[in-house]
Amino acid sequence: MNEPTALAVDDLYVSYGAISALRGISLNVPAGAIVTLIGGNGAGKTTTLQTLSGLVRAKSGRIHFLGEDITALAPHEIVARGLCHVPEGRMVFPQLTVDENLSMGAYLRKNAAAVAQTRDTVFTLFPRLKERLRQSAGTLSGGEQQMLAIGRALMSAPKFLMLDEPSLGIAPRLISTIFEKIVEINRSQGVAILLVEQNAKLALEISTHAYVLETGHIAMQGPSPTLRNDAQLKAAYLGG
């Protein structure tokens, strides 16, 4: 991974009271890359993304995004710099329409023409959202809500996307569609992506590099094709 670095995490420690959630993790996401973070329940994957997006404060360590130290920034300041988080469970606004949810994603942007252009890009990626524009988000299927959550994030014109368990709670027939769209966003828009995903097989197929998180520390890392063939990782995460 010799490309310029979009996101650099150095020796990050996070605690919830007396409980250590992250214990000195370091990782890098090159500009324009898809990097995945895999691990079991309770490994610290969601905490990692919440800390990177400013929702949880680090006890120690540094986070640099596009060369700037963002460790102490507020969540809205981090979004304004182009780092956007699509949380686990999608967290769409259920009472608002699809259209209103998308507008919420663009709340920091002032250029109406640029926002309209981004909206068209979202509809090209996810035509189903345009079909359901006036529908309440809470009435969408799980897969449609995931499309909306990603589309809402894209409305902020991100330079970097963090996706937390995008396959969770989605019908199997739609999972491959969601992952195809993640790759398309990365390739067509040059958006770097940090992907947290329990479906390790899929995550390793679309990423270039992977980190394996176990009980708050990085247990293994390397190029995704190498880890796909690692016997220990296959036994733990890929079904042998």
Side-chain angles (χ1 to χ4, degrees), residues 102 113-127 130 155:
L102 292 174
V115 169
Q117 189 173 12
T118 302
R119 189 179 293 256
D120 288 342
T121 300
V122 170
F123 292 150
T124 300
L125 271 169
F126 302 116
K130 190 170 186 178
M155 290 299 296

Side-chain angles (χ1 to χ4, degrees), residues 34-38 165-167 179 183 195-210 224-225 228 238:
I34 300 178
V35 171
T36 189
L37 185 61
I38 60 179
E165 303 286 6
S167 74
F179 273 72
V183 171
L195 171 66
V196 162
E197 179 57 58
Q198 279 198 313
N199 189 327
K201 184 175 184 295
L202 268 177
L204 290 170
E205 283 175 1
I206 71 166
S207 60
T208 54
H209 199 87
S224 296
R228 275 204 306 268
L238 302 177

Side-chain angles (χ1 to χ4, degrees), residues 60-231:
S60 63
R62 311 311 300 173
I63 304 163
H64 285 87
F65 178 58
L66 300 177
E68 180 185 2
D69 189 334
I70 64 166
T71 313
L73 294 186
H76 71 278
E77 294 174 313
I78 292 172
V79 172
R81 280 156 176 77
L83 195 158
C84 197
H85 181 188
V86 180
E88 181 181 357
R90 301 175 283 277
M91 306 296 283
V92 298
F93 300 105
Q95 304 304 322
L96 300 183
T97 64
V98 167
D99 191 29
E100 290 165 338
N101 268 271
L102 292 174
S103 295
M104 291 294 286
Y107 77 100
L108 288 175
R109 300 176 67 190
K110 307 301 182 189
N111 186 325
V115 169
Q117 189 173 12
T118 302
R119 189 179 293 256
D120 288 342
T121 300
V122 170
F123 292 150
T124 300
L125 271 169
F126 302 116
R128 202 170 300 193
L129 295 182
K130 190 170 186 178
E131 295 168 7
R132 288 156 173 70
L133 206 55
R134 305 300 172 197
Q135 195 169 322
S136 297
T139 65
L140 301 177
S141 71
E144 290 165 348
Q145 287 189 15
Q146 188 63 63
M147 293 175 192
L148 178 57
I150 295 172
R152 182 179 61 188
L154 291 175
M155 290 299 296
S156 72
K159 299 167 184 167
F160 192 108
L161 271 181
M162 298 190 299
L163 303 172
D164 195 352
E165 303 286 6
S167 74
L168 192 67
I170 292 178
R173 62 187 171 79
L174 278 179
I175 291 175
S176 60
T177 300
I178 293 293
F179 273 72
E180 286 166 9
K181 297 302 183 181
I182 291 169
V183 171
E184 186 176 342
I185 289 164
N186 168 255
R187 290 179 179 168
S188 66
Q189 301 184 34
V191 177
I193 293 172
L194 178 58
L195 171 66
V196 162
E197 179 57 58
Q198 279 198 313
N199 189 327
K201 184 175 184 295
L202 268 177
L204 290 170
E205 283 175 1
I206 71 166
S207 60
T208 54
H209 199 87
Y211 293 85
V212 180
L213 198 58
E214 291 181 1
T215 58
H217 74 279
I218 302 292
M220 190 185 306
Q221 64 162 297
S224 296
T226 302
L227 292 191
R228 275 204 306 268
N229 295 314
D230 183 273

